[in-house]
mmCIF file of all heavy atoms in Angstrom:
data_model
loop_
_atom_site.group_PDB
_atom_site.id
_atom_site.type_symbol
_atom_site.label_atom_id
_atom_site.label_comp_id
_atom_site.label_asym_id
_atom_site.label_seq_id
_atom_site.Cartn_x
_atom_site.Cartn_y
_atom_site.Cartn_z
ATOM 1 N N ILE A 951 -47.630 -56.866 -11.249
ATOM 2 C CA ILE A 951 -48.512 -56.785 -12.416
ATOM 3 C C ILE A 951 -47.871 -55.836 -13.428
ATOM 4 O O ILE A 951 -46.944 -55.085 -13.087
ATOM 5 C CB ILE A 951 -49.924 -56.286 -12.034
ATOM 6 C CG1 ILE A 951 -49.842 -54.912 -11.316
ATOM 7 C CG2 ILE A 951 -50.646 -57.306 -11.156
ATOM 8 C CD1 ILE A 951 -51.179 -54.217 -11.176
ATOM 9 N N TYR A 952 -48.335 -55.901 -14.679
ATOM 10 C CA TYR A 952 -47.721 -55.095 -15.740
ATOM 11 C C TYR A 952 -47.685 -53.605 -15.398
ATOM 12 O O TYR A 952 -46.733 -52.898 -15.722
ATOM 13 C CB TYR A 952 -48.459 -55.313 -17.068
ATOM 14 C CG TYR A 952 -48.335 -56.722 -17.603
ATOM 15 C CD1 TYR A 952 -49.407 -57.355 -18.215
ATOM 16 C CD2 TYR A 952 -47.133 -57.430 -17.493
ATOM 17 C CE1 TYR A 952 -49.291 -58.647 -18.720
ATOM 18 C CE2 TYR A 952 -47.007 -58.722 -17.980
ATOM 19 C CZ TYR A 952 -48.081 -59.329 -18.594
ATOM 20 O OH TYR A 952 -47.972 -60.597 -19.081
ATOM 21 N N ASP A 953 -48.736 -53.126 -14.715
ATOM 22 C CA ASP A 953 -48.810 -51.703 -14.387
ATOM 23 C C ASP A 953 -47.706 -51.251 -13.423
ATOM 24 O O ASP A 953 -47.475 -50.063 -13.269
ATOM 25 C CB ASP A 953 -50.169 -51.378 -13.752
ATOM 26 C CG ASP A 953 -51.238 -51.182 -14.826
ATOM 27 O OD1 ASP A 953 -50.865 -51.100 -16.013
ATOM 28 O OD2 ASP A 953 -52.436 -51.115 -14.471
ATOM 29 N N ASP A 954 -47.067 -52.228 -12.757
ATOM 30 C CA ASP A 954 -45.995 -51.849 -11.835
ATOM 31 C C ASP A 954 -44.761 -51.329 -12.596
ATOM 32 O O ASP A 954 -43.967 -50.571 -12.045
ATOM 33 C CB ASP A 954 -45.553 -53.051 -10.980
ATOM 34 C CG ASP A 954 -46.646 -53.490 -10.015
ATOM 35 O OD1 ASP A 954 -47.551 -52.685 -9.749
ATOM 36 O OD2 ASP A 954 -46.581 -54.649 -9.531
ATOM 37 N N PHE A 955 -44.600 -51.776 -13.840
ATOM 38 C CA PHE A 955 -43.432 -51.387 -14.641
ATOM 39 C C PHE A 955 -43.897 -51.048 -16.050
ATOM 40 O O PHE A 955 -43.610 -51.773 -17.012
ATOM 41 C CB PHE A 955 -42.396 -52.531 -14.661
ATOM 42 C CG PHE A 955 -42.026 -52.975 -13.275
ATOM 43 C CD1 PHE A 955 -42.651 -54.087 -12.711
ATOM 44 C CD2 PHE A 955 -41.109 -52.261 -12.519
ATOM 45 C CE1 PHE A 955 -42.350 -54.484 -11.419
ATOM 46 C CE2 PHE A 955 -40.798 -52.649 -11.225
ATOM 47 C CZ PHE A 955 -41.423 -53.759 -10.670
ATOM 48 N N PRO A 956 -44.635 -49.942 -16.181
ATOM 49 C CA PRO A 956 -45.279 -49.654 -17.472
ATOM 50 C C PRO A 956 -44.288 -49.481 -18.620
ATOM 51 O O PRO A 956 -44.570 -49.911 -19.743
ATOM 52 C CB PRO A 956 -46.062 -48.364 -17.206
ATOM 53 C CG PRO A 956 -45.547 -47.826 -15.910
ATOM 54 C CD PRO A 956 -44.992 -48.975 -15.141
ATOM 55 N N ASN A 957 -43.128 -48.903 -18.366
ATOM 56 C CA ASN A 957 -42.188 -48.693 -19.480
ATOM 57 C C ASN A 957 -41.552 -50.005 -19.929
ATOM 58 O O ASN A 957 -41.465 -50.290 -21.128
ATOM 59 C CB ASN A 957 -41.086 -47.702 -19.090
ATOM 60 C CG ASN A 957 -41.637 -46.309 -18.876
ATOM 61 O OD1 ASN A 957 -42.732 -45.982 -19.344
ATOM 62 N ND2 ASN A 957 -40.901 -45.478 -18.156
ATOM 63 N N ALA A 958 -41.117 -50.788 -18.959
ATOM 64 C CA ALA A 958 -40.512 -52.082 -19.310
ATOM 65 C C ALA A 958 -41.532 -52.931 -20.051
ATOM 66 O O ALA A 958 -41.221 -53.597 -21.044
ATOM 67 C CB ALA A 958 -40.026 -52.792 -18.047
ATOM 68 N N PHE A 959 -42.777 -52.875 -19.590
ATOM 69 C CA PHE A 959 -43.828 -53.671 -20.232
ATOM 70 C C PHE A 959 -44.113 -53.163 -21.649
ATOM 71 O O PHE A 959 -44.239 -53.943 -22.591
ATOM 72 C CB PHE A 959 -45.104 -53.659 -19.386
ATOM 73 C CG PHE A 959 -46.208 -54.466 -20.002
ATOM 74 C CD1 PHE A 959 -46.057 -55.838 -20.174
ATOM 75 C CD2 PHE A 959 -47.391 -53.863 -20.430
ATOM 76 C CE1 PHE A 959 -47.057 -56.597 -20.773
ATOM 77 C CE2 PHE A 959 -48.390 -54.615 -21.026
ATOM 78 C CZ PHE A 959 -48.226 -55.985 -21.188
ATOM 79 N N HIS A 960 -44.178 -51.841 -21.788
ATOM 80 C CA HIS A 960 -44.415 -51.242 -23.107
ATOM 81 C C HIS A 960 -43.310 -51.664 -24.085
ATOM 82 O O HIS A 960 -43.576 -52.039 -25.218
ATOM 83 C CB HIS A 960 -44.439 -49.711 -22.961
ATOM 84 C CG HIS A 960 -44.528 -48.972 -24.258
ATOM 85 N ND1 HIS A 960 -45.726 -48.581 -24.811
ATOM 86 C CD2 HIS A 960 -43.566 -48.555 -25.129
ATOM 87 C CE1 HIS A 960 -45.492 -47.956 -25.956
ATOM 88 N NE2 HIS A 960 -44.190 -47.934 -26.167
ATOM 89 N N ASN A 961 -42.077 -51.607 -23.614
ATOM 90 C CA ASN A 961 -40.940 -51.867 -24.513
ATOM 91 C C ASN A 961 -40.778 -53.340 -24.895
ATOM 92 O O ASN A 961 -40.324 -53.639 -25.993
ATOM 93 C CB ASN A 961 -39.637 -51.361 -23.880
ATOM 94 C CG ASN A 961 -39.555 -49.833 -23.908
ATOM 95 O OD1 ASN A 961 -40.233 -49.180 -24.704
ATOM 96 N ND2 ASN A 961 -38.738 -49.263 -23.044
ATOM 97 N N GLN A 962 -41.135 -54.245 -23.990
ATOM 98 C CA GLN A 962 -40.778 -55.652 -24.239
ATOM 99 C C GLN A 962 -41.420 -56.245 -25.490
ATOM 100 O O GLN A 962 -40.876 -57.182 -26.073
ATOM 101 C CB GLN A 962 -41.065 -56.526 -23.009
ATOM 102 C CG GLN A 962 -42.528 -56.783 -22.748
ATOM 103 C CD GLN A 962 -42.741 -57.721 -21.542
ATOM 104 O OE1 GLN A 962 -41.896 -57.828 -20.666
ATOM 105 N NE2 GLN A 962 -43.868 -58.397 -21.512
ATOM 106 N N SER A 963 -42.554 -55.687 -25.933
ATOM 107 C CA SER A 963 -43.195 -56.240 -27.132
ATOM 108 C C SER A 963 -42.793 -55.474 -28.400
ATOM 109 O O SER A 963 -43.240 -55.796 -29.493
ATOM 110 C CB SER A 963 -44.715 -56.193 -26.970
ATOM 111 O OG SER A 963 -45.123 -54.862 -26.769
ATOM 112 N N ARG A 964 -41.951 -54.445 -28.243
ATOM 113 C CA ARG A 964 -41.576 -53.615 -29.396
ATOM 114 C C ARG A 964 -40.099 -53.702 -29.773
ATOM 115 O O ARG A 964 -39.721 -53.417 -30.911
ATOM 116 C CB ARG A 964 -41.920 -52.150 -29.115
ATOM 117 C CG ARG A 964 -43.424 -51.900 -29.076
ATOM 118 C CD ARG A 964 -43.732 -50.505 -28.516
ATOM 119 N NE ARG A 964 -45.152 -50.186 -28.626
ATOM 120 C CZ ARG A 964 -46.082 -50.624 -27.764
ATOM 121 N NH1 ARG A 964 -45.743 -51.396 -26.747
ATOM 122 N NH2 ARG A 964 -47.349 -50.276 -27.931
ATOM 123 N N ILE A 965 -39.246 -54.061 -28.810
ATOM 124 C CA ILE A 965 -37.794 -54.020 -29.051
ATOM 125 C C ILE A 965 -37.329 -55.121 -30.004
ATOM 126 O O ILE A 965 -37.834 -56.237 -29.993
ATOM 127 C CB ILE A 965 -37.002 -54.158 -27.727
ATOM 128 C CG1 ILE A 965 -37.577 -55.286 -26.875
ATOM 129 C CG2 ILE A 965 -36.972 -52.840 -26.985
ATOM 130 C CD1 ILE A 965 -36.774 -55.594 -25.631
ATOM 131 N N LEU A 966 -36.326 -54.758 -30.789
ATOM 132 C CA LEU A 966 -35.722 -55.707 -31.720
ATOM 133 C C LEU A 966 -34.249 -55.333 -31.890
ATOM 134 O O LEU A 966 -33.922 -54.192 -32.223
ATOM 135 C CB LEU A 966 -36.450 -55.622 -33.073
ATOM 136 C CG LEU A 966 -36.027 -56.644 -34.122
ATOM 137 C CD1 LEU A 966 -36.423 -58.066 -33.700
ATOM 138 C CD2 LEU A 966 -36.669 -56.317 -35.474
ATOM 139 N N SER A 967 -33.364 -56.303 -31.642
ATOM 140 C CA SER A 967 -31.926 -56.063 -31.808
ATOM 141 C C SER A 967 -31.519 -56.540 -33.194
ATOM 142 O O SER A 967 -31.769 -57.690 -33.548
ATOM 143 C CB SER A 967 -31.117 -56.829 -30.762
ATOM 144 O OG SER A 967 -31.646 -56.612 -29.468
ATOM 145 N N ILE A 968 -30.896 -55.647 -33.959
ATOM 146 C CA ILE A 968 -30.513 -56.004 -35.334
ATOM 147 C C ILE A 968 -28.985 -56.173 -35.397
ATOM 148 O O ILE A 968 -28.271 -55.699 -34.525
ATOM 149 C CB ILE A 968 -31.047 -54.956 -36.350
ATOM 150 C CG1 ILE A 968 -30.418 -53.580 -36.141
ATOM 151 C CG2 ILE A 968 -32.575 -54.854 -36.251
ATOM 152 C CD1 ILE A 968 -30.819 -52.563 -37.208
ATOM 153 N N PRO A 969 -28.489 -56.878 -36.410
ATOM 154 C CA PRO A 969 -27.058 -57.213 -36.430
ATOM 155 C C PRO A 969 -26.148 -55.978 -36.382
ATOM 156 O O PRO A 969 -26.313 -55.048 -37.178
ATOM 157 C CB PRO A 969 -26.877 -57.936 -37.775
ATOM 158 C CG PRO A 969 -28.230 -58.477 -38.108
ATOM 159 C CD PRO A 969 -29.200 -57.459 -37.564
ATOM 160 N N LEU A 970 -25.236 -55.969 -35.411
ATOM 161 C CA LEU A 970 -24.198 -54.927 -35.356
ATOM 162 C C LEU A 970 -22.998 -55.526 -34.649
ATOM 163 O O LEU A 970 -23.079 -55.874 -33.477
ATOM 164 C CB LEU A 970 -24.693 -53.673 -34.614
ATOM 165 C CG LEU A 970 -23.763 -52.447 -34.685
ATOM 166 C CD1 LEU A 970 -24.508 -51.151 -34.390
ATOM 167 C CD2 LEU A 970 -22.564 -52.559 -33.754
ATOM 168 N N TYR A 971 -21.927 -55.732 -35.384
ATOM 169 C CA TYR A 971 -20.678 -56.258 -34.815
ATOM 170 C C TYR A 971 -19.558 -55.747 -35.707
ATOM 171 O O TYR A 971 -19.791 -55.426 -36.882
ATOM 172 C CB TYR A 971 -20.702 -57.790 -34.759
ATOM 173 C CG TYR A 971 -21.281 -58.459 -35.986
ATOM 174 C CD1 TYR A 971 -20.460 -58.859 -37.041
ATOM 175 C CD2 TYR A 971 -22.664 -58.654 -36.108
ATOM 176 C CE1 TYR A 971 -20.984 -59.457 -38.181
ATOM 177 C CE2 TYR A 971 -23.196 -59.243 -37.240
ATOM 178 C CZ TYR A 971 -22.357 -59.636 -38.277
ATOM 179 O OH TYR A 971 -22.896 -60.204 -39.405
ATOM 180 N N PRO A 972 -18.335 -55.626 -35.142
ATOM 181 C CA PRO A 972 -17.266 -54.944 -35.888
ATOM 182 C C PRO A 972 -17.013 -55.509 -37.279
ATOM 183 O O PRO A 972 -16.614 -54.775 -38.183
ATOM 184 C CB PRO A 972 -16.034 -55.130 -34.999
ATOM 185 C CG PRO A 972 -16.573 -55.361 -33.625
ATOM 186 C CD PRO A 972 -17.893 -56.032 -33.795
ATOM 187 N N GLU A 973 -17.280 -56.804 -37.471
ATOM 188 C CA GLU A 973 -16.971 -57.443 -38.749
ATOM 189 C C GLU A 973 -18.096 -57.277 -39.778
ATOM 190 O O GLU A 973 -17.961 -57.731 -40.923
ATOM 191 C CB GLU A 973 -16.698 -58.945 -38.541
ATOM 192 C CG GLU A 973 -15.513 -59.246 -37.621
ATOM 193 C CD GLU A 973 -15.802 -59.046 -36.135
ATOM 194 O OE1 GLU A 973 -16.987 -59.002 -35.739
ATOM 195 O OE2 GLU A 973 -14.834 -58.919 -35.350
ATOM 196 N N LEU A 974 -19.193 -56.634 -39.401
ATOM 197 C CA LEU A 974 -20.325 -56.460 -40.334
ATOM 198 C C LEU A 974 -19.881 -55.560 -41.495
ATOM 199 O O LEU A 974 -19.420 -54.437 -41.280
ATOM 200 C CB LEU A 974 -21.506 -55.816 -39.597
ATOM 201 C CG LEU A 974 -22.798 -55.618 -40.380
ATOM 202 C CD1 LEU A 974 -23.443 -56.955 -40.753
ATOM 203 C CD2 LEU A 974 -23.807 -54.793 -39.565
ATOM 204 N N ASN A 975 -20.013 -56.056 -42.715
ATOM 205 C CA ASN A 975 -19.549 -55.229 -43.836
ATOM 206 C C ASN A 975 -20.659 -54.313 -44.365
ATOM 207 O O ASN A 975 -21.840 -54.489 -44.043
ATOM 208 C CB ASN A 975 -18.918 -56.094 -44.937
ATOM 209 C CG ASN A 975 -19.938 -57.008 -45.589
ATOM 210 O OD1 ASN A 975 -21.075 -56.599 -45.875
ATOM 211 N ND2 ASN A 975 -19.558 -58.252 -45.810
ATOM 212 N N ALA A 976 -20.237 -53.336 -45.165
ATOM 213 C CA ALA A 976 -21.156 -52.290 -45.609
ATOM 214 C C ALA A 976 -22.328 -52.858 -46.413
ATOM 215 O O ALA A 976 -23.474 -52.444 -46.238
ATOM 216 C CB ALA A 976 -20.401 -51.255 -46.433
ATOM 217 N N ALA A 977 -22.048 -53.828 -47.275
ATOM 218 C CA ALA A 977 -23.113 -54.383 -48.119
ATOM 219 C C ALA A 977 -24.168 -55.093 -47.261
ATOM 220 O O ALA A 977 -25.373 -54.936 -47.491
ATOM 221 C CB ALA A 977 -22.517 -55.348 -49.141
ATOM 222 N N SER A 978 -23.702 -55.858 -46.271
ATOM 223 C CA SER A 978 -24.646 -56.555 -45.398
ATOM 224 C C SER A 978 -25.471 -55.553 -44.608
ATOM 225 O O SER A 978 -26.674 -55.715 -44.429
ATOM 226 C CB SER A 978 -23.911 -57.475 -44.414
ATOM 227 O OG SER A 978 -23.189 -58.444 -45.118
ATOM 228 N N GLN A 979 -24.805 -54.520 -44.124
ATOM 229 C CA GLN A 979 -25.532 -53.529 -43.335
ATOM 230 C C GLN A 979 -26.601 -52.833 -44.176
ATOM 231 O O GLN A 979 -27.732 -52.631 -43.732
ATOM 232 C CB GLN A 979 -24.573 -52.499 -42.730
ATOM 233 C CG GLN A 979 -25.331 -51.529 -41.836
ATOM 234 C CD GLN A 979 -24.452 -50.507 -41.153
ATOM 235 O OE1 GLN A 979 -23.406 -50.129 -41.684
ATOM 236 N NE2 GLN A 979 -24.882 -50.041 -39.995
ATOM 237 N N GLU A 980 -26.235 -52.487 -45.409
ATOM 238 C CA GLU A 980 -27.214 -51.851 -46.299
ATOM 239 C C GLU A 980 -28.392 -52.779 -46.573
ATOM 240 O O GLU A 980 -29.540 -52.339 -46.616
ATOM 241 C CB GLU A 980 -26.556 -51.478 -47.636
ATOM 242 C CG GLU A 980 -25.980 -50.086 -47.601
ATOM 243 C CD GLU A 980 -24.917 -49.887 -48.675
ATOM 244 O OE1 GLU A 980 -25.056 -50.448 -49.788
ATOM 245 O OE2 GLU A 980 -23.934 -49.174 -48.379
ATOM 246 N N TYR A 981 -28.074 -54.049 -46.731
ATOM 247 C CA TYR A 981 -29.137 -55.034 -46.977
ATOM 248 C C TYR A 981 -30.092 -55.111 -45.776
ATOM 249 O O TYR A 981 -31.317 -55.133 -45.952
ATOM 250 C CB TYR A 981 -28.513 -56.405 -47.269
ATOM 251 C CG TYR A 981 -29.530 -57.505 -47.458
ATOM 252 C CD1 TYR A 981 -30.400 -57.510 -48.549
ATOM 253 C CD2 TYR A 981 -29.634 -58.538 -46.523
ATOM 254 C CE1 TYR A 981 -31.344 -58.510 -48.708
ATOM 255 C CE2 TYR A 981 -30.578 -59.548 -46.672
ATOM 256 C CZ TYR A 981 -31.435 -59.524 -47.773
ATOM 257 O OH TYR A 981 -32.376 -60.522 -47.917
ATOM 258 N N VAL A 982 -29.535 -55.095 -44.574
ATOM 259 C CA VAL A 982 -30.375 -55.133 -43.367
ATOM 260 C C VAL A 982 -31.278 -53.896 -43.328
ATOM 261 O O VAL A 982 -32.503 -53.993 -43.169
ATOM 262 C CB VAL A 982 -29.519 -55.206 -42.073
ATOM 263 C CG1 VAL A 982 -30.403 -55.073 -40.835
ATOM 264 C CG2 VAL A 982 -28.723 -56.505 -42.020
ATOM 265 N N ALA A 983 -30.669 -52.725 -43.508
ATOM 266 C CA ALA A 983 -31.433 -51.475 -43.416
ATOM 267 C C ALA A 983 -32.511 -51.422 -44.505
ATOM 268 O O ALA A 983 -33.667 -51.061 -44.253
ATOM 269 C CB ALA A 983 -30.490 -50.282 -43.521
ATOM 270 N N HIS A 984 -32.126 -51.818 -45.700
ATOM 271 C CA HIS A 984 -33.042 -51.794 -46.827
ATOM 272 C C HIS A 984 -34.227 -52.754 -46.562
ATOM 273 O O HIS A 984 -35.377 -52.419 -46.829
ATOM 274 C CB HIS A 984 -32.264 -52.218 -48.080
ATOM 275 C CG HIS A 984 -33.075 -52.236 -49.317
ATOM 276 N ND1 HIS A 984 -33.506 -51.079 -49.934
ATOM 277 C CD2 HIS A 984 -33.555 -53.276 -50.062
ATOM 278 C CE1 HIS A 984 -34.220 -51.409 -51.006
ATOM 279 N NE2 HIS A 984 -34.262 -52.730 -51.104
ATOM 280 N N SER A 985 -33.913 -53.920 -46.015
ATOM 281 C CA SER A 985 -34.968 -54.899 -45.735
ATOM 282 C C SER A 985 -35.920 -54.389 -44.651
ATOM 283 O O SER A 985 -37.136 -54.554 -44.759
ATOM 284 C CB SER A 985 -34.359 -56.225 -45.289
ATOM 285 O OG SER A 985 -33.471 -56.703 -46.266
#
Side-chain angles (χ1 to χ4, degrees):
I951 56 168
Y952 295 141
D953 278 349
D954 293 341
F955 306 97
N957 293 341
F959 180 63
H960 174 93
N961 287 339
Q962 73 177 24
S963 59
R964 291 168 173 81
I965 46 174
L966 186 67
S967 311
I968 64 174
L970 189 159
Y971 42 92
E973 299 76 18
L974 183 66
N975 66 42
S978 299
Q979 184 178 29
E980 270 159 36
Y981 177 67
V982 173
H984 180 72
S985 303

